[in-house]
Coordinates of all heavy atoms in Angstrom, one line a residue:
M1 N 135.4 56.5 70.6 CA 136.5 57.4 71.2 C 136.8 58.4 70.1 O 137.0 58.1 68.9 CB 137.7 56.6 71.5 CG 138.7 57.4 72.2 SD 140.4 56.8 72.5 CE 140.2 55.2 73.2
Q2 N 137.0 59.6 70.5 CA 137.3 60.7 69.6 C 138.7 61.2 69.8 O 139.2 61.4 71.0 CB 136.3 61.9 69.8 CG 136.4 62.9 68.7 CD 135.2 63.9 68.9 OE1 134.7 64.1 70.0 NE2 134.9 64.5 67.8
F3 N 139.5 61.3 68.7 CA 140.9 61.8 68.8 C 141.0 63.3 68.4 O 140.3 63.7 67.4 CB 141.8 61.0 67.9 CG 142.0 59.6 68.4 CD1 141.2 58.6 67.9 CD2 142.9 59.3 69.4 CE1 141.4 57.3 68.3 CE2 143.0 58.0 69.9 CZ 142.3 57.0 69.3
Q4 N 141.7 64.0 69.1 CA 142.0 65.4 68.7 C 143.3 65.5 68.1 O 144.2 64.8 68.4 CB 141.9 66.3 69.9 CG 140.5 66.4 70.5 CD 140.5 67.4 71.7 OE1 141.5 67.8 72.2 NE2 139.3 67.7 72.1
N5 N 143.5 66.4 67.2 CA 144.8 66.7 66.6 C 145.7 67.3 67.6 O 145.4 68.2 68.3 CB 144.7 67.6 65.4 CG 144.1 66.9 64.2 OD1 144.1 65.7 64.0 ND2 143.5 67.7 63.3
F6 N 146.9 66.7 67.7 CA 147.9 67.2 68.6 C 148.8 68.2 67.9 O 149.4 67.8 66.8 CB 148.7 66.0 69.2 CG 150.0 66.4 69.9 CD1 149.9 67.0 71.2 CD2 151.2 66.3 69.3 CE1 151.0 67.3 71.8 CE2 152.4 66.7 69.9 CZ 152.3 67.2 71.2
Q7 N 149.0 69.3 68.4 CA 150.0 70.3 67.8 C 151.2 70.3 68.7 O 151.1 70.6 69.9 CB 149.4 71.7 67.7 CG 148.5 71.9 66.6 CD 148.1 73.3 66.4 OE1 148.4 74.2 67.1 NE2 147.4 73.6 65.3
A8 N 152.3 70.0 68.2 CA 153.6 70.0 68.9 C 154.0 71.4 69.2 O 153.6 72.4 68.6 CB 154.7 69.3 68.1
E9 N 154.9 71.5 70.2 CA 155.4 72.8 70.6 C 156.1 73.4 69.4 O 156.2 74.6 69.2 CB 156.4 72.6 71.7 CG 156.9 73.9 72.3 CD 157.8 73.7 73.5 OE1 157.4 72.9 74.4 OE2 158.8 74.4 73.6
A10 N 156.7 72.6 68.5 CA 157.4 73.0 67.3 C 156.5 73.3 66.1 O 157.0 73.6 65.0 CB 158.4 72.0 66.9
F11 N 155.2 73.3 66.3 CA 154.2 73.6 65.2 C 154.6 75.0 64.6 O 154.8 76.0 65.3 CB 152.8 73.7 65.8 CG 151.8 73.9 64.7 CD1 151.2 72.8 64.1 CD2 151.4 75.1 64.3 CE1 150.3 72.9 63.1 CE2 150.4 75.3 63.3 CZ 149.9 74.2 62.7
G12 N 154.7 75.0 63.3 CA 155.0 76.2 62.6 C 156.5 76.5 62.4 O 156.9 77.4 61.6
D13 N 157.4 75.8 63.1 CA 158.8 76.0 63.0 C 159.3 75.7 61.6 O 160.2 76.5 61.1 CB 159.6 75.1 64.0 CG 159.5 75.6 65.4 OD1 158.9 76.7 65.6 OD2 160.0 74.9 66.3
L14 N 158.8 74.8 60.9 CA 159.2 74.5 59.5 C 158.8 75.6 58.6 O 159.6 76.0 57.7 CB 158.6 73.1 59.1 CG 159.4 72.4 58.0 CD1 160.8 72.2 58.2 CD2 158.7 71.0 57.7
Q15 N 157.7 76.2 58.8 CA 157.2 77.3 58.0 C 158.2 78.5 58.2 O 158.6 79.2 57.3 CB 155.8 77.7 58.3 CG 155.3 78.9 57.5 CD 155.2 78.6 56.0 OE1 154.5 77.7 55.7 NE2 155.9 79.4 55.2
R16 N 158.6 78.7 59.4 CA 159.5 79.8 59.7 C 160.9 79.6 59.1 O 161.5 80.5 58.6 CB 159.6 80.0 61.2 CG 158.4 80.7 61.8 CD 158.6 81.0 63.3 NE 158.4 79.9 64.2 CZ 157.2 79.4 64.5 NH1 156.1 79.9 64.0 NH2 157.1 78.3 65.3
L17 N 161.3 78.3 59.0 CA 162.5 78.0 58.4 C 162.4 78.3 56.9 O 163.3 78.9 56.3 CB 162.9 76.5 58.6 CG 164.1 76.0 57.8 CD1 165.4 76.6 58.3 CD2 164.1 74.4 57.8
V18 N 161.4 77.9 56.2 CA 161.2 78.1 54.8 C 161.1 79.6 54.5 O 161.8 80.1 53.6 CB 159.9 77.4 54.3 CG1 159.6 77.9 52.9 CG2 160.1 75.9 54.3
D19 N 160.4 80.4 55.4 CA 160.3 81.8 55.2 C 161.7 82.4 55.2 O 162.1 83.3 54.4 CB 159.4 82.5 56.2 CG 158.0 82.1 56.0 OD1 157.6 81.7 54.9 OD2 157.2 82.3 57.0
S20 N 162.5 82.0 56.2 CA 163.9 82.6 56.4 C 164.8 82.2 55.2 O 165.6 83.0 54.8 CB 164.5 82.2 57.7 OG 164.8 80.8 57.7
L21 N 164.6 81.0 54.7 CA 165.5 80.6 53.6 C 165.3 81.3 52.3 O 166.2 81.5 51.5 CB 165.3 79.1 53.3 CG 165.9 78.1 54.3 CD1 165.3 76.7 54.1 CD2 167.4 78.1 54.2
F22 N 164.0 81.8 52.1 CA 163.7 82.4 50.8 C 163.6 84.0 51.0 O 163.1 84.6 50.1 CB 162.4 81.9 50.3 CG 162.7 80.5 49.7 CD1 162.5 79.4 50.4 CD2 163.2 80.4 48.4 CE1 162.7 78.1 49.9 CE2 163.4 79.1 47.8 CZ 163.2 78.0 48.6
T23 N 164.2 84.5 52.0 CA 164.3 86.0 52.1 C 165.4 86.4 51.1 O 166.6 86.1 51.3 CB 164.6 86.4 53.5 OG1 163.6 85.9 54.4 CG2 164.7 87.9 53.7
G24 N 165.0 87.1 50.1 CA 165.9 87.6 49.1 C 166.5 86.5 48.1 O 167.5 86.8 47.4
R25 N 165.9 85.3 48.1 CA 166.4 84.3 47.2 C 165.3 83.7 46.4 O 164.1 83.6 46.9 CB 167.0 83.1 48.0 CG 168.2 83.4 48.8 CD 168.7 82.1 49.4 NE 169.8 82.3 50.3 CZ 170.3 81.3 51.1 NH1 169.7 80.1 51.1 NH2 171.3 81.6 51.9
D26 N 165.6 83.1 45.3 CA 164.6 82.4 44.4 C 164.7 80.9 44.6 O 163.8 80.2 44.3 CB 164.8 82.8 43.0 CG 164.4 84.3 42.7 OD1 163.5 84.8 43.4 OD2 165.1 84.9 41.8
A27 N 165.9 80.5 45.0 CA 166.2 79.0 45.1 C 167.2 78.8 46.2 O 168.0 79.7 46.5 CB 166.6 78.5 43.8
V28 N 167.2 77.6 46.7 CA 168.2 77.2 47.7 C 168.6 75.7 47.4 O 167.9 75.0 46.8 CB 167.6 77.2 49.2 CG1 167.2 78.6 49.6 CG2 166.4 76.3 49.3
E29 N 169.8 75.4 47.9 CA 170.4 74.1 47.8 C 169.9 73.3 49.0 O 169.7 73.8 50.1 CB 171.9 74.1 47.8 CG 172.5 74.9 46.6 CD 172.4 74.1 45.3 OE1 172.2 72.9 45.3 OE2 172.4 74.8 44.2
R30 N 169.8 72.0 48.8 CA 169.5 71.1 49.9 C 170.4 71.3 51.1 O 169.9 71.4 52.2 CB 169.6 69.6 49.5 CG 169.3 68.6 50.6 CD 169.7 67.2 50.3 NE 169.3 66.3 51.3 CZ 170.1 66.0 52.4 NH1 171.3 66.6 52.4 NH2 169.8 65.2 53.3
L31 N 171.7 71.4 50.9 CA 172.6 71.7 52.0 C 172.3 72.9 52.8 O 172.4 72.9 54.0 CB 174.0 71.7 51.4 CG 175.1 71.8 52.5 CD1 175.1 70.7 53.5 CD2 176.5 71.9 51.8
D32 N 171.8 74.0 52.1 CA 171.4 75.2 52.8 C 170.3 74.9 53.8 O 170.2 75.4 54.9 CB 171.0 76.3 51.8 CG 172.0 76.8 50.9 OD1 173.2 76.8 51.3 OD2 171.7 77.1 49.7
V33 N 169.3 74.1 53.3 CA 168.2 73.8 54.1 C 168.6 73.0 55.3 O 168.2 73.2 56.5 CB 167.1 73.0 53.3 CG1 165.9 72.7 54.1 CG2 166.7 73.8 52.0
V34 N 169.4 71.9 55.1 CA 169.8 71.1 56.2 C 170.6 71.9 57.2 O 170.4 71.7 58.4 CB 170.7 69.9 55.6 CG1 171.3 69.1 56.8 CG2 169.8 69.0 54.8
V35 N 171.6 72.7 56.8 CA 172.4 73.4 57.7 C 171.6 74.4 58.5 O 171.7 74.5 59.7 CB 173.6 74.1 56.9 CG1 174.3 75.1 57.8 CG2 174.6 73.1 56.4
Q36 N 170.7 75.1 57.8 CA 169.9 76.1 58.5 C 169.0 75.4 59.5 O 168.7 75.9 60.6 CB 169.1 76.9 57.5 CG 168.4 78.1 58.1 CD 169.4 79.2 58.7 OE1 170.5 79.3 58.3 NE2 168.9 79.9 59.7
A37 N 168.4 74.3 59.2 CA 167.6 73.5 60.1 C 168.3 73.2 61.4 O 167.8 73.2 62.5 CB 167.0 72.3 59.4
E38 N 169.6 72.8 61.2 CA 170.4 72.4 62.4 C 170.7 73.6 63.2 O 170.8 73.6 64.4 CB 171.6 71.6 61.9 CG 171.2 70.2 61.4 CD 172.4 69.5 60.9 OE1 173.5 70.0 60.9 OE2 172.2 68.3 60.4
L39 N 171.0 74.7 62.5 CA 171.4 76.0 63.2 C 170.3 76.5 64.0 O 170.5 77.1 65.1 CB 171.9 77.0 62.2 CG 173.2 76.9 61.6 CD1 173.5 77.9 60.5 CD2 174.3 76.9 62.7
V40 N 169.1 76.4 63.6 CA 167.9 76.9 64.3 C 167.4 75.9 65.3 O 166.4 76.1 66.0 CB 166.8 77.5 63.4 CG1 167.3 78.6 62.6 CG2 166.1 76.4 62.6
D41 N 168.1 74.7 65.4 CA 167.8 73.7 66.3 C 166.3 73.2 66.2 O 165.6 73.2 67.2 CB 168.1 74.2 67.8 CG 168.2 73.0 68.7 OD1 168.5 71.9 68.3 OD2 167.9 73.2 69.9
L42 N 166.0 72.8 65.0 CA 164.6 72.3 64.8 C 164.4 71.0 65.6 O 165.4 70.3 65.9 CB 164.4 71.9 63.3 CG 164.0 73.0 62.3 CD1 163.7 72.4 61.0 CD2 162.9 73.8 62.8
D43 N 163.2 70.7 65.9 CA 162.8 69.5 66.5 C 163.4 68.3 65.8 O 163.5 68.3 64.6 CB 161.3 69.4 66.6 CG 160.7 68.2 67.3 OD1 160.5 67.2 66.6 OD2 160.5 68.3 68.5
A44 N 163.7 67.2 66.5 CA 164.3 66.0 65.9 C 163.5 65.4 64.7 O 164.0 65.0 63.7 CB 164.6 65.0 66.9
D45 N 162.1 65.4 64.9 CA 161.2 64.9 63.9 C 161.3 65.8 62.6 O 161.3 65.3 61.5 CB 159.8 64.9 64.3 CG 159.5 63.8 65.4 OD1 160.3 62.9 65.5 OD2 158.5 63.9 66.1
L46 N 161.4 67.1 62.8 CA 161.5 68.0 61.6 C 162.9 67.9 61.0 O 163.0 68.0 59.7 CB 161.2 69.4 62.1 CG 159.8 69.7 62.6 CD1 159.6 71.1 63.0 CD2 158.8 69.3 61.5
I47 N 163.9 67.7 61.7 CA 165.3 67.4 61.1 C 165.2 66.2 60.3 O 165.8 66.1 59.2 CB 166.3 67.3 62.2 CG1 166.6 68.6 62.9 CG2 167.6 66.7 61.7 CD1 167.3 69.6 62.1
E48 N 164.5 65.2 60.8 CA 164.3 63.9 60.0 C 163.6 64.2 58.6 O 164.0 63.7 57.6 CB 163.5 62.9 60.8 CG 163.3 61.6 60.1 CD 162.5 60.6 60.9 OE1 162.5 60.7 62.2 OE2 161.8 59.8 60.3
V49 N 162.6 65.1 58.7 CA 161.9 65.5 57.4 C 162.8 66.2 56.5 O 162.9 65.9 55.3 CB 160.6 66.3 57.8 CG1 160.1 67.0 56.6 CG2 159.6 65.5 58.5
V50 N 163.6 67.1 57.0 CA 164.5 67.9 56.2 C 165.6 67.0 55.6 O 165.9 67.1 54.4 CB 165.2 69.0 57.0 CG1 166.3 69.6 56.3 CG2 164.1 70.1 57.3
N51 N 166.0 66.0 56.4 CA 167.1 65.1 55.9 C 166.6 64.2 54.8 O 167.4 63.6 54.1 CB 167.7 64.3 57.0 CG 168.7 65.1 57.8 OD1 169.3 66.0 57.3 ND2 168.7 64.8 59.1
L52 N 165.3 64.1 54.6 CA 164.7 63.2 53.5 C 164.7 63.9 52.2 O 164.5 63.3 51.2 CB 163.2 62.9 53.9 CG 163.1 61.9 55.0 CD1 161.6 61.7 55.4 CD2 163.7 60.5 54.7
L53 N 165.1 65.2 52.2 CA 165.1 65.9 50.9 C 166.2 65.3 50.0 O 167.3 65.1 50.4 CB 165.5 67.4 51.1 CG 164.4 68.3 51.7 CD1 165.0 69.6 52.1 CD2 163.3 68.4 50.8
P54 N 165.8 65.0 48.7 CA 166.8 64.6 47.8 C 167.8 65.7 47.4 O 167.4 66.9 47.5 CB 166.0 64.2 46.5 CG 164.6 64.3 46.9 CD 164.5 65.1 48.2
P55 N 169.0 65.4 47.0 CA 169.9 66.4 46.6 C 169.4 67.3 45.5 O 168.6 66.8 44.7 CB 171.2 65.7 46.2 CG 171.0 64.3 46.8 CD 169.6 64.1 46.9
G56 N 169.7 68.5 45.5 CA 169.3 69.4 44.4 C 169.1 70.8 44.8 O 169.3 71.2 46.0
R57 N 168.6 71.6 43.9 CA 168.3 73.0 44.0 C 166.8 73.1 44.0 O 166.1 72.5 43.2 CB 168.9 73.8 42.9 CG 168.9 75.3 43.1 CD 169.8 76.0 42.1 NE 169.8 77.4 42.2 CZ 170.4 78.1 43.2 NH1 171.1 77.5 44.1 NH2 170.3 79.4 43.2
Y58 N 166.3 73.9 45.0 CA 164.8 74.0 45.2 C 164.3 75.4 45.1 O 164.8 76.3 45.7 CB 164.5 73.5 46.6 CG 164.7 72.0 46.8 CD1 165.9 71.5 47.2 CD2 163.7 71.1 46.5 CE1 166.1 70.1 47.3 CE2 163.9 69.7 46.6 CZ 165.1 69.3 47.0 OH 165.3 67.9 47.2
S59 N 163.2 75.5 44.3 CA 162.4 76.8 44.3 C 161.6 76.6 45.6 O 161.5 75.5 46.2 CB 161.5 76.8 43.1 OG 160.6 75.8 43.1
R60 N 161.0 77.7 46.0 CA 160.1 77.6 47.2 C 159.0 76.6 47.0 O 158.8 75.8 47.9 CB 159.6 79.0 47.5 CG 158.8 79.0 48.8 CD 158.2 80.4 49.1 NE 157.5 80.4 50.4 CZ 157.9 81.0 51.5 NH1 158.9 81.8 51.4 NH2 157.2 80.9 52.6
Q61 N 158.4 76.6 45.9 CA 157.2 75.7 45.7 C 157.7 74.2 45.7 O 157.1 73.4 46.3 CB 156.5 76.0 44.4 CG 155.3 75.2 44.1 CD 154.3 75.4 45.2 OE1 153.8 76.5 45.5 NE2 153.8 74.3 45.9
R62 N 158.8 74.0 45.1 CA 159.3 72.6 45.0 C 159.7 72.1 46.4 O 159.5 71.0 46.8 CB 160.5 72.5 44.1 CG 161.0 71.1 43.9 CD 162.0 70.9 42.8 NE 162.6 69.6 42.8 CZ 163.9 69.3 43.0 NH1 164.8 70.3 43.0 NH2 164.3 68.1 43.0
L63 N 160.4 73.0 47.2 CA 160.8 72.7 48.5 C 159.6 72.4 49.4 O 159.5 71.4 50.1 CB 161.6 73.8 49.2 CG 162.1 73.5 50.6 CD1 163.0 72.3 50.7 CD2 162.8 74.8 51.2
C64 N 158.6 73.2 49.3 CA 157.4 73.0 50.1 C 156.7 71.7 49.7 O 156.2 71.0 50.6 CB 156.4 74.2 49.9 SG 157.0 75.7 50.7
D65 N 156.6 71.4 48.4 CA 156.0 70.2 48.0 C 156.7 69.0 48.6 O 156.1 68.0 49.1 CB 156.0 70.1 46.5 CG 155.0 71.0 45.8 OD1 154.2 71.6 46.5 OD2 155.1 71.2 44.6
Q66 N 158.1 69.0 48.5 CA 158.9 67.9 49.1 C 158.7 67.8 50.6 O 158.5 66.7 51.1 CB 160.3 68.1 48.8 CG 160.7 67.9 47.3 CD 160.7 66.5 46.9 OE1 161.0 65.6 47.7 NE2 160.5 66.2 45.7
L67 N 158.7 68.9 51.3 CA 158.6 68.9 52.8 C 157.2 68.4 53.2 O 157.0 67.6 54.1 CB 158.9 70.2 53.4 CG 160.3 70.7 53.3 CD1 160.5 72.1 53.8 CD2 161.3 69.7 54.1
N68 N 156.1 68.9 52.5 CA 154.8 68.5 52.8 C 154.5 67.1 52.5 O 153.8 66.4 53.2 CB 153.8 69.4 52.0 CG 153.7 70.8 52.6 OD1 154.0 71.0 53.7 ND2 153.3 71.8 51.7
S69 N 155.1 66.6 51.4 CA 155.0 65.1 51.1 C 155.6 64.3 52.2 O 155.0 63.3 52.6 CB 155.7 64.9 49.8 OG 155.7 63.5 49.5
A70 N 156.8 64.7 52.7 CA 157.4 63.9 53.8 C 156.6 64.0 55.1 O 156.4 63.0 55.8 CB 158.8 64.4 54.1
L71 N 156.0 65.2 55.4 CA 155.2 65.4 56.6 C 153.9 64.5 56.5 O 153.5 63.8 57.4 CB 154.8 66.8 56.7 CG 155.8 67.8 57.2 CD1 155.4 69.2 57.0 CD2 156.1 67.6 58.7
A72 N 153.3 64.4 55.3 CA 152.1 63.6 55.1 C 152.5 62.1 55.2 O 151.7 61.4 55.8 CB 151.5 63.9 53.7
A73 N 153.6 61.7 54.7 CA 154.0 60.3 54.7 C 154.2 59.9 56.2 O 153.9 58.7 56.5 CB 155.3 60.1 54.0
H74 N 154.6 60.8 57.0 CA 154.8 60.4 58.5 C 153.5 60.7 59.3 O 153.4 60.3 60.4 CB 155.9 61.3 59.1 CG 157.3 60.9 58.8 ND1 157.9 61.2 57.6 CD2 158.1 60.1 59.5 CE1 159.1 60.6 57.6 NE2 159.3 60.0 58.7
G75 N 152.5 61.3 58.7 CA 151.3 61.6 59.4 C 151.5 62.8 60.3 O 150.8 62.9 61.3
W76 N 152.4 63.7 60.0 CA 152.8 64.8 61.0 C 152.2 66.2 60.5 O 152.6 67.2 61.1 CB 154.3 64.9 61.1 CG 154.9 63.7 61.9 CD1 154.3 62.9 62.7 CD2 156.3 63.4 61.8 NE1 155.2 62.0 63.2 CE2 156.4 62.2 62.7 CE3 157.4 63.8 61.1 CZ2 157.6 61.6 62.9 CZ3 158.6 63.2 61.3 CH2 158.7 62.1 62.2
G77 N 151.5 66.2 59.5 CA 151.0 67.5 59.0 C 150.2 68.3 60.0 O 150.5 69.5 60.2
A78 N 149.3 67.7 60.8 CA 148.6 68.3 61.8 C 149.4 68.6 63.0 O 149.2 69.6 63.7 CB 147.3 67.5 62.2
T79 N 150.4 67.8 63.3 CA 151.2 67.9 64.4 C 152.2 69.1 64.3 O 152.4 69.9 65.2 CB 152.0 66.7 64.7 OG1 151.1 65.6 64.8 CG2 152.9 66.8 66.0
Y80 N 152.9 69.2 63.1 CA 153.9 70.2 62.9 C 153.5 71.3 62.0 O 154.2 72.3 61.9 CB 155.2 69.6 62.4 CG 155.8 68.7 63.5 CD1 155.8 67.3 63.4 CD2 156.4 69.3 64.6 CE1 156.4 66.5 64.3 CE2 157.0 68.5 65.6 CZ 157.0 67.1 65.4 OH 157.5 66.3 66.4
G81 N 152.4 71.1 61.3 CA 152.0 72.1 60.3 C 152.6 71.9 58.9 O 153.7 71.3 58.9
T82 N 151.9 72.2 57.9 CA 152.5 72.1 56.5 C 153.1 73.5 56.2 O 152.9 74.5 56.9 CB 151.4 71.7 55.5 OG1 150.3 72.7 55.6 CG2 150.9 70.3 55.8
V83 N 153.8 73.5 55.0 CA 154.5 74.7 54.6 C 154.0 75.2 53.3 O 153.5 74.4 52.5 CB 156.0 74.5 54.6 CG1 156.6 74.3 56.0 CG2 156.4 73.4 53.7
E84 N 154.1 76.5 53.1 CA 153.7 77.1 51.8 C 154.7 78.2 51.4 O 155.4 78.7 52.1 CB 152.3 77.6 51.8 CG 152.0 78.6 53.0 CD 150.6 79.0 53.1 OE1 149.7 78.1 53.1 OE2 150.4 80.2 53.1

């Protein structure tokens, strides 16, 4: 039996969130990420990923590493896309 990767309707939404957070900024606070994720009404699975972020201030690279790590741990990279 062969399985195909499933892409959720929300595929790429996390990338759009990251892009919007770093427009004109070098770093963001965890709270900024959580609030913005809720404001744009991210999929419940993606809200779960965002809520896994430890407290702190994030550069774009550090935020992407944390989010991609959580996506990989859940096995959702192909479903929702990774971020850069």
Side-chain angles (χ1 to χ4, degrees):
M1 184 189 313
Q2 193 172 23
F3 292 96
Q4 294 182 349
N5 287 336
F6 167 75
Q7 281 191 355
E9 187 176 315
F11 186 90
D13 286 354
L14 202 53
Q15 180 65 57
R16 285 184 282 283
L17 174 69
V18 170
D19 290 343
S20 71
L21 284 166
F22 285 94
T23 301
R25 296 183 185 172
D26 294 327
V28 294
E29 298 289 336
R30 176 192 182 272
L31 183 58
D32 296 328
V33 181
V34 171
V35 169
Q36 190 63 27
E38 291 175 0
L39 284 173
V40 298
D41 198 26
L42 277 187
D43 181 270
D45 289 341
L46 296 177
I47 292 288
E48 182 179 333
V49 167
V50 168
N51 283 328
L52 291 172
L53 289 170
R57 188 164 179 80
Y58 292 87
S59 67
R60 184 182 183 112
Q61 186 60 55
R62 182 168 173 240
L63 178 63
C64 290
D65 290 346
Q66 288 286 331
L67 293 173
N68 287 335
S69 179
L71 286 165
H74 282 82
W76 291 339
T79 303
Y80 293 107
T82 55
V83 292
E84 51 185 52

